[in-house]
Amino acid sequence: MQLTPTERDRLLLFGAAELARARRARGRRLNVPEATALIADTVCEAARDGARLAEAVAAARKVLGPEDVLPGVPDVVTEIHVEAVFDDGSRLAVVGDPFGGGGLGALAPGAVLPGAGEVPGPEPVCVLAVRNTAPVPISVTSHFHFFESNPRLAFDRAAAYGMRLAEPAGSSTRFAPGHSCAVALVPIGGDRVVIGFAGLVDGPLDAPGAKEEALRRAAACGYLGVSGATGGASTTGGTSTTGGTGGTGASDTTEAAGGAAATGAAGTANRSVAQDGHDQEAAQ
């Protein structure tokens, strides 16, 4: 019997749900995969019986309560997504709050507890003036190697080698088209090995000749702010105050005002974020 990948997934889900039903019948409280499989299977079976999307989701919410699952499961499983085949075609069913509450809050496994106070960030060791010469906004996230950020950002690349933004992890700085601003940088910590990004380093930052080779590659690829860069030789964003080196990886994002837009770089993948809210990947 030849089964499609979707059919094999459905049988796997059904098997996990049957195991959950058997353990529940023996009085066992269900864990995360068991509870997820049982609720998802309920949606699929309701769809098979001719129920509409809203009816299938409502039926799934009635299957398990907080007393049927192990402590902490409602805190981990806050929403279940499953694609089911209804009479009018395949639909994505989203079962929110599948257990009707019962979370442990601050006592849940993996809960993030507030600290005693605000932890101060690292002191900047370098402040650079940066100008966005692109016609679209450009965002750079906290742990992106700033030296390798978008080639249309004009600043002193040599001063930014081995540095990252002095921002909390996960945050970013947005550069509007044609605007200039000052950014604070801190050294990359740890082993100071940079892999990926724009491919200008791809190795230890402090290896002999690594900085010179990275500057040569940046110039060859037309990065602004590097001597000999094509399309804008030795263009920098302004003066810089330096005091160290640093930075480890995240992403460099280009936001298009009405569609996908991107800029060229050696092996860079910039993300174009369209104004309608959909993400589009633009591989350079």
Side-chain angles (χ1 to χ4, degrees), residues 149-254:
S149 59
N150 196 289
R152 296 300 96 193
L153 291 178
F155 60 91
D156 186 353
R157 299 270 171 181
Y161 181 83
M163 312 288 280
R164 67 171 181 87
L165 290 170
E167 299 283 350
S171 61
S172 63
T173 296
R174 186 174 185 268
F175 302 93
H179 287 210
S180 299
C181 66
V183 298
L185 304 177
V186 295
I188 291 177
D191 294 335
R192 291 181 53 79
V193 176
V194 170
I195 302 295
F197 301 110
L200 300 180
V201 180
D202 264 343
L205 287 165
D206 303 321
K211 181 176 181 179
E212 291 74 15
E213 176 61 17
L215 288 168
R216 185 195 67 77
R217 293 178 181 177
C221 294
Y223 277 69
L224 299 182
V226 184
S227 297
T230 59
S234 192
T235 305
T236 61
T239 58
S240 65
T241 303
T242 61
T245 55
T248 56
S251 67
D252 175 12
T253 306
T254 302

Side-chain angles (χ1 to χ4, degrees), residues 71-141:
V73 171
D75 297 277
V76 176
V77 185
T78 58
E79 200 171 69
I80 295 175
H81 295 206
V82 58
E83 184 176 354
V85 181
F86 293 85
D87 289 344
D88 55 352
S90 295
R91 307 281 293 277
L92 179 64
V94 180
V95 183
D97 191 19
F99 309 106
L104 298 177
L107 300 178
V112 178
L113 303 179
E118 186 175 340
V119 179
E123 287 293 327
V125 298
C126 176
V127 178
L128 294 181
V130 180
R131 180 167 56 90
N132 179 11
T133 67
V136 294
I138 296 174
S139 294
V140 181
T141 53

